[in-house]
């Protein structure tokens, strides 16, 4: 679970840097986010696969969005009240169907 929070934090920080066009080179960005350069490329590629319009400018030495874009990733943790607790089943819906015995009975 902690890795998920770290990933969300990194993507949020990356987004803010891209929005401001202040990522620097991939090497500088990797240092800024405390990641390897190869991991930076992986994250950028993952975002591109999700159709996030990211490009790199050698002139400005920064990643940027090619069109207006916003990334919103948020996780909230809070205790459930009694009503929520009793109405929650972990996101699962179980339906049990009893089938007739399909094994032939001995004669």
């Amino acid at each position: 679970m902690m890795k998920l929070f770290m990933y969300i934090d990194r993507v949020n920080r990356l987004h803010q840097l891209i929005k401001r066009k202040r990522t620097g080179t991939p090497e500088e960005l990797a240092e800024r986010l405390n990641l390897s350069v190869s991991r930076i490329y992986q994250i950028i590629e993952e975002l591109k696969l999700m159709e996030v319009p990211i490009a790199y400018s050698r002139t400005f030495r920064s990643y940027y969005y090619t069109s207006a874009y916003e990334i919103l990733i948020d996780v909230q943790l809070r205790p459930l009240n009694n009503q929520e607790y009793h109405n929650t089943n972990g996101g699962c819906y179980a339906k049990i169907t009893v089938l007739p015995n399909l094994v032939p009975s001995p004669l």
Side-chain angles (χ1 to χ4, degrees):
M1 183 69 118
M2 193 61 170
K3 286 188 179 192
L4 173 64
F5 292 136
M6 289 173 58
Y7 184 80
I8 290 170
D9 182 56
R10 285 180 181 146
V11 170
N12 283 331
R13 288 180 13 216
L14 175 62
H15 169 65
Q16 291 304 314
L17 292 169
I18 292 172
K19 241 171 87 165
R20 289 187 246 130
K21 298 178 185 156
R22 303 212 47 209
T23 65
T25 65
E27 293 77 16
E28 292 168 337
L29 180 59
E31 187 174 321
R32 193 174 276 169
L33 296 179
N34 198 27
L35 297 170
S36 67
V37 175
S38 62
R39 186 66 184 126
I40 290 295
Y41 287 131
Q42 287 173 343
I43 292 171
I44 296 291
E45 189 58 33
E46 289 169 0
L47 293 173
K48 285 181 177 182
L49 288 172
M50 291 184 272
E51 301 182 10
V52 176
I54 297 175
Y56 183 77
S57 168
R58 289 187 177 145
T59 304
F60 296 109
R61 294 176 37 159
S62 181
Y63 286 96
Y64 66 97
Y65 292 120
T66 59
S67 59
Y69 201 81
E70 193 66 40
I71 294 178
L72 302 172
I73 303 174
D74 187 26
V75 176
Q76 297 181 8
L77 304 172
R78 66 175 177 80
L80 299 176
N81 64 37
N82 282 338
Q83 183 66 32
E84 291 170 322
Y85 177 77
H86 291 293
N87 291 334
T88 300
N89 60 7
C92 297
Y93 174 74
K95 180 179 179 182
I96 299 173
T97 304
V98 178
L99 297 174
N101 188 350
L102 299 177
V103 178
S105 59
L107 295 175

